[in-house]
Amino acid sequence: MAHISLNPGETLIGQGMMAYWEPILGSSCHVWRGTLYVTSRRVCYRISWLRHMEFELPLSEIRGFTVGTHLFATKVTLHSKSGERFTVTGFPVKKLQDWLARAGVQKL
């Protein structure tokens, strides 16, 4: 069972513990631990110790995703149509690419 409320007709495609890299002042970032959810309608991320979603993107607002590396870690960056970027990394990052593809998000 998902730890998020699903809307009527919405299905959970995948979820996993991941780190979200929140950019700060150009080249630095905060790293948050939490859970990323991919559903048939949105991609959202909840920091482990907070009750609210850190970000929640409807699939219609996602331009696509890119895959890269930082040191030895694979990272996935979601690109919104408004130009925002959301970078996550963690053990299920390879599964995340499949979840996004199943949700209809294209790899850029």
Side-chain angles (χ1 to χ4, degrees):
M1 183 67 178
H3 298 294
I4 60 171
S5 296
L6 297 174
N7 297 314
E10 182 178 29
T11 58
L12 181 67
I13 295 172
Q15 72 180 54
M17 291 292 293
M18 304 197 103
Y20 166 53
W21 298 2
E22 180 182 30
I24 304 168
L25 302 173
S27 63
S28 343
C29 65
H30 275 129
V31 178
W32 301 102
R33 185 184 67 146
T35 304
L36 185 102
Y37 302 91
V38 178
T39 76
S40 57
R41 295 190 184 166
R42 59 192 164 139
V43 176
C44 44
Y45 183 85
R46 178 178 292 169
I47 295 174
S48 292
W49 54 276
L50 296 176
R51 290 195 167 275
H52 77 282
M53 291 293 176
E54 181 64 21
F55 66 81
E56 187 169 358
L57 296 168
L59 295 179
S60 62
E61 292 181 22
I62 300 174
R63 185 169 58 93
F65 72 94
T66 55
V67 179
T69 58
H70 179 75
L71 300 175
F72 298 106
T74 302
K75 63 182 182 175
V76 170
T77 302
L78 296 169
H79 300 266
S80 75
K81 290 182 178 176
S82 65
E84 293 178 288
R85 293 184 300 175
F86 304 89
T87 301
V88 295
T89 189
F91 185 70
V93 77
K94 290 187 181 190
K95 289 181 181 180
L96 171 60
Q97 296 170 58
D98 179 56
W99 300 337
L100 292 170
R102 288 177 36 207
V105 178
Q106 67 177 352
K107 185 175 181 181
L108 301 175

